[in-house]
Amino acid sequence: MADEEDEIVLSELDDEELVQQMYDDLYDGLKEEIEESVHILLDRGWEPYKILTEALVGGMTIVGKDFRDGILFVPEVLLAANAMKGGMFILKPLLAETGAPTIGRMVIGTVKGDIHDIGQNLVTMMMEGAGFEVMNIGINNPVENYVEAVKEFDADILGMSALLTTTMPYMKVVIDAMKEQGIRDDYIILVGGAPLNEEFGKAIGADAYCRDAAVAVDTAKDFMARKHNQMAAGT
Ligand code: B1M
């Protein structure tokens, strides 16, 4: 029939078309299609990290713009997030498969009042892939959750995530509370999230701001190397 929509066969698209189609499918919250496309790209030899950054994060950036401009609303964005998580779930074990020895222990969570967790889940995956052990304490965390977790997990690093301009100041509340308890300097504190920047990280007393998951990994490695050098020098 003339008005019948042609069904798209994902496996017949070339790489570029498939990535474009993934942007559309993420936008439409089509989890099964996203999962199928991730498998296709893996079968074609794409590195998991490339799929994550180019196809999934790239697609979510488009969703973010239309959310900002009032074209998409919360229910649609939730579906897109769900589709993205479907893709991330497939990639997670592959990113963690490097067999690297443990180089440090990190607690990570999104701050109180904030329920965005895709970014910090991505950081978790990348950190695990790089050989860190990570305790992910999820979303909406008050000071007590962070403090309990870093002690219980014997963490080297505390990572905090915030995606809202209204929740990012809470990172300072956590750091100040740790100062009051005399435990601030026991941990490397890294912060991240779309509305933050380097200046903000410094202003609240964090050790570093991490623009993305790859920077978080490099920064964490850097700080762990310094920590080991200080320990070796007995300082
Ligand atoms: Co929300 N939301 N949202 N949202 N949401 C944003 C953040 C927003 C920028 C959208 C927009 O207007 N363009 C806007 C914030 C505006 C502002 O404050 N300046 C916004 C808003 C307003 C809201 C609500 C208030 C909407 C409403 O209810 N009216 C509401 C708030 C709820 C709350 O938290 N209390 C809300 C709700 C939601 C959903 C639930 C629908 C959903 C979240 C689902 C989920 O996470 N499970 C959602 C989503 C998906 C988004 C956008 C579209 C995408 C966020 C995302 O997952 N990005 C987002 C727009 C955008 O950011 N472009 C938006 C992909 C992810 C990989 O990137 O999280 O930045 P990101 O993480 C990166 C880096 O930032 C960094 O590494 C990651 C990987 O590279 N990083 C870290 C992040 N955390 C780190 C921690 C580290 C290190 C690096 O520790 C060491």
Side-chain angles (χ1 to χ4, degrees):
M1 271 196 313
D3 61 347
E4 199 174 288
E5 260 189 58
D6 284 340
E7 187 152 333
I8 295 166
V9 180
L10 295 171
S11 58
E12 287 176 358
L13 302 177
D14 69 28
D15 287 9
E16 202 178 314
E17 289 167 340
L18 186 58
V19 170
Q20 285 303 322
Q21 186 60 42
M22 287 174 80
Y23 291 173
D24 289 349
D25 289 343
L26 202 70
Y27 196 93
D28 294 333
L30 301 177
K31 187 177 178 200
E32 279 176 25
E33 282 77 356
I34 286 293
E35 289 168 344
E36 188 184 339
S37 298
V38 167
H39 282 302
I40 294 170
L41 288 176
L42 284 170
D43 288 346
R44 291 183 188 171
W46 277 49
E47 291 293 328
Y49 181 65
K50 187 170 150 96
I51 301 175
L52 196 62
T53 50
E54 290 186 19
L56 297 180
V57 176
M60 192 48 99
T61 306
I62 301 170
V63 171
K65 284 187 185 131
D66 280 3
F67 188 29
R68 179 196 60 207
D69 297 339
I71 298 165
L72 288 179
F73 296 95
V74 170
E76 290 122 326
V77 179
L78 268 177
L79 283 175
N82 189 41
M84 171 135 183
K85 283 185 179 179
M88 283 167 63
F89 186 75
I90 297 166
L91 298 174
K92 186 176 173 176
L94 305 174
L95 283 163
E97 222 172 47
T98 59
T102 297
I103 45 178
R105 298 167 71 78
M106 179 192 214
V107 164
I108 189 166
T110 306
V111 296
K112 187 174 165 182
D114 200 321
I115 61 166
H116 294 86
D117 67 352
I118 295 178
Q120 58 119 331
N121 286 340
L122 217 154
V123 174
T124 300
M125 282 162 53
M126 297 282 297
M127 293 289 293
E128 286 175 345
F132 285 84
E133 279 185 47
V134 184
M135 179 182 192
N136 185 327
I137 58 171
I139 55 172
N140 196 20
N141 287 290
V143 170
E144 309 82 64
N145 288 11
Y146 287 112
V147 170
E148 258 173 53
V150 287
K151 288 182 182 166
E152 182 199 316
F153 194 59
D154 192 19
D156 303 292
I157 303 170
L158 169 62
M160 286 188 279
S161 181
L163 266 288
L164 299 172
T165 41
T166 49
T167 56
M168 56 193 250
Y170 195 77
M171 292 175 162
K172 184 171 184 315
V173 176
V174 177
I175 295 175
D176 287 348
M178 290 173 79
K179 281 183 188 159
E180 270 168 35
Q181 294 177 30
I183 58 169
R184 159 67 186 92
D185 292 337
D186 297 345
Y187 305 98
I188 298 157
I189 302 186
L190 306 181
V191 293
L196 279 62
N197 57 31
E198 210 150 331
E199 206 183 358
F200 175 79
K202 278 196 191 118
I204 62 169
D207 290 299
Y209 154 72
C210 308
R211 190 182 63 243
D212 59 29
V215 171
V217 167
D218 288 346
T219 311
K221 278 183 177 168
D222 208 37
F223 274 98
M224 285 309 296
R226 280 191 237 172
K227 184 174 173 175
H228 285 136
N229 288 343
Q230 281 166 1
M231 277 158 59
T235 53

